[in-house]
């Protein structure tokens, strides 16, 4: 039977080449696997952070800002204003046609109680726009601290954007947890919502920008359309 020694010229070069090929294959297979595991681990931490975040009861600030996207957010924000937890309230991301009277009908407060201290920001087109609008409003009012009201799942991304436009201003998160109802979203739908929000959070953290962020209404710093 014929055998080949390590010095056999027909076989010696093939073994190192084969090993290098298999090593390359393993690396190419491992990279996407490691990336997927990292994303899943990050998503788990993201969800745990949302579930573990609680509103800071009793905290006061110079101003209150609520990012639109659900009636419960505005109810919570107006309650904070009525409790004296902030001097003024900005509702950012309001539809151009929405009036203060329409908002009053959705909250437990009278127009007289709100018209002195509530401003409607109609320029924001997305979360980045909310942050731009909020930064201009806070600086115009010389605020040094803000209570930030939005949904718990939206809070991480909102804070990422707000920190870019409110340098030197203390942000106090006040996350709103939507009430569960029998006709509420199924667990799979909730998971899908969180997954989409996680991707948006990563994009915001990396500085990926949506354009445009605000409408042309925000012409002068700090000047918002009237209620």
């Amino acid at each position: 039977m014929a055998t080949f020694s390590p010095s056999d010229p027909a076989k010696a070069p093939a073994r190192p080449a084969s090993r290098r090929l298999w090593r390359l294959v393993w690396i190419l297979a491992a990279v996407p696997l490691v990336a997927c595991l990292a994303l899943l681990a990050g998503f788990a931490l993201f969800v745990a952070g949302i579930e573990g975040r609680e509103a800071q009861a009793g905290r006061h600030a110079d101003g209150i800002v609520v990012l639109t996207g659900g009636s419960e957010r505005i109810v919570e924000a107006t309650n904070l204003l009525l409790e004296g937890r902030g001097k003024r309230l900005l509702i950012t991301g309001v539809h151009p046609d929405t009036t203060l009277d329409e908002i009053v009908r959705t909250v437990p407060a009278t127009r007289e109680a709100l018209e002195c201290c509530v401003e409607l920001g109609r320029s924001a087109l997305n979360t980045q726009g909310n942050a731009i609008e909020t930064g201009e409003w806070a600086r115009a009012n010389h605020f040094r601290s803000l209570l930030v009201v939005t949904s718990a799942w939206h809070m991480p991304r909102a804070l990422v954007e707000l920190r870019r436009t409110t340098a030197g201003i203390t942000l106090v998160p006040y996350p709103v947890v939507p009430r569960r109802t029998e006709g509420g979203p199924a667990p799979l739908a909730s998971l899908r919502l969180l997954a989409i929000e996680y991707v948006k959070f990563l994009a915001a953290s990396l500085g990926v920008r949506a354009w445009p962020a605000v409408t042309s209404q925000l012409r002068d710093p700090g000047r918002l359309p009237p209620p």
Side-chain angles (χ1 to χ4, degrees):
M1 179 182 293
T3 59
F4 296 95
S5 66
S7 59
D8 192 318
K11 291 292 182 180
R15 290 180 180 176
S18 177
R19 291 194 191 99
R20 287 195 296 270
L21 178 61
W22 277 109
R23 189 177 298 116
L24 179 61
V25 170
W26 277 108
I27 291 173
L28 292 176
V31 168
L33 178 61
V34 170
C36 288
L37 290 175
L39 284 173
L40 288 174
F43 179 61
L45 291 173
F46 176 77
V47 174
I50 290 174
E51 293 180 347
R53 186 184 290 276
E54 296 181 358
Q56 300 187 29
R59 287 292 300 271
H60 290 68
D62 294 333
I64 305 167
V65 58
V66 56
L67 287 68
T68 56
S71 59
E72 291 177 343
R73 303 181 190 181
I74 298 177
V75 170
E76 290 286 351
T78 53
N79 284 337
L80 291 172
L81 180 67
L82 295 175
E83 291 170 8
R85 303 272 292 275
K87 301 171 187 174
R88 299 189 67 79
L89 167 64
L90 170 66
I91 305 176
T92 173
V94 176
H95 189 276
D97 297 330
T98 300
T99 65
L100 185 59
D101 287 329
E102 291 174 305
I103 290 176
V104 166
R105 288 197 289 269
T106 67
V107 299
T110 63
R111 179 183 175 90
E112 290 72 21
L114 298 182
E115 62 183 354
C116 68
C117 311
V118 174
E119 294 177 70
L120 307 184
R122 298 185 173 94
S123 298
L125 299 175
N126 47 47
T127 303
Q128 182 191 354
N130 292 143
I132 294 171
E133 198 167 56
T134 300
E136 301 290 2
W137 176 76
R139 283 189 293 274
N141 286 281
H142 307 290
F143 289 157
R144 306 304 298 172
S145 58
L146 291 174
L147 272 169
V148 180
V149 182
T150 189
S151 296
W153 55 265
H154 185 230
M155 185 63 75
R157 180 160 59 102
L159 291 176
V160 167
E161 297 289 5
L162 283 166
R163 288 186 181 115
R164 292 192 173 107
T165 63
T166 58
I169 298 175
T170 301
L171 302 177
V172 182
Y174 193 94
V176 177
V177 179
R179 298 183 182 87
R180 295 185 181 276
T181 61
E182 292 185 5
L188 185 59
S190 298
L191 184 63
R192 184 165 55 248
L193 171 67
L194 289 173
I196 293 172
E197 184 59 29
Y198 176 58
V199 171
K200 292 181 178 180
F201 167 73
L202 291 178
S205 299
L206 294 172
V208 177
R209 288 283 162 263
W211 191 263
V214 295
T215 68
S216 58
Q217 290 183 20
L218 193 64
R219 292 183 294 271
D220 300 321
R223 298 188 62 181
L224 301 175

